[in-house]
Amino acid sequence: RIVATTPHKDDCKLDDLPLTQKTALVFGNELDGLSPVALQQADAFMKIPMVGFTESLNISVSAAVCLHSLTQRLRLSKVAWQLRPDEYTEIMIQYIHNTLKHPELVRTGYLKRKMDS
């Protein structure tokens, strides 16, 4: 599910965002907000709570506020939010492939260690 963060739509507030399915949060920058494509593709919209005259936060602050709130709620919930071992391995292999100069060498060593443990 794709949830767009925007102060202009009122589906739910951060504290009310359901945590029952995999969710990707989409953030816009301070100047332009979300692109029309992001808004069109979103399954839901979420507001980040603000106080005073501020309409939006810096994108890094928005992401930090959301991630802190959601991880706290997940840790206190009974939702099975952790990745399954096969999901973790798949993501780690993709990370290795996308970030390292010689990914095949590291991938082979990583998979060997996973099998040995």
Side-chain angles (χ1 to χ4, degrees):
R1 172 169 86 135
I2 300 171
V3 177
T5 59
T6 177
H8 305 294
K9 303 234 183 210
D10 207 7
D11 278 4
C12 73
K13 291 188 173 48
L14 174 59
D15 293 338
D16 300 325
L17 182 68
L19 302 176
T20 54
Q21 66 188 103
K22 291 181 180 181
T23 301
L25 298 180
V26 181
F27 299 90
N29 66 34
E30 304 91 278
L31 182 61
D32 302 318
L34 290 162
S35 71
V37 172
L39 291 168
Q40 180 183 8
Q41 295 295 315
D43 300 307
F45 301 94
M46 180 187 72
K47 281 187 173 185
I48 301 168
M50 313 248 183
V51 177
F53 298 106
T54 302
E55 183 180 87
S56 65
L57 301 170
N58 172 286
I59 188 169
S60 63
V61 174
S62 295
V65 166
C66 291
L67 292 175
H68 176 74
S69 174
L70 296 175
T71 55
Q72 288 293 99
R73 287 178 51 208
L74 282 170
R75 287 182 179 131
L76 295 171
S77 76
K78 295 181 185 209
V79 173
W81 58 272
Q82 295 89 348
L83 293 172
R84 294 186 321 263
D86 61 310
E87 290 174 316
Y88 180 88
T89 299
E90 183 179 329
I91 290 169
M92 184 58 76
I93 289 170
Q94 191 63 43
Y95 171 77
I96 289 167
H97 179 76
N98 290 338
T99 58
L100 300 178
K101 201 173 205 173
H102 301 287
E104 282 307 311
L105 298 173
V106 177
R107 179 181 186 268
T108 303
Y110 174 77
L111 289 175
K112 182 178 180 335
R113 280 196 316 278
K114 288 290 283 180
M115 295 175 112
D116 291 344
S117 60

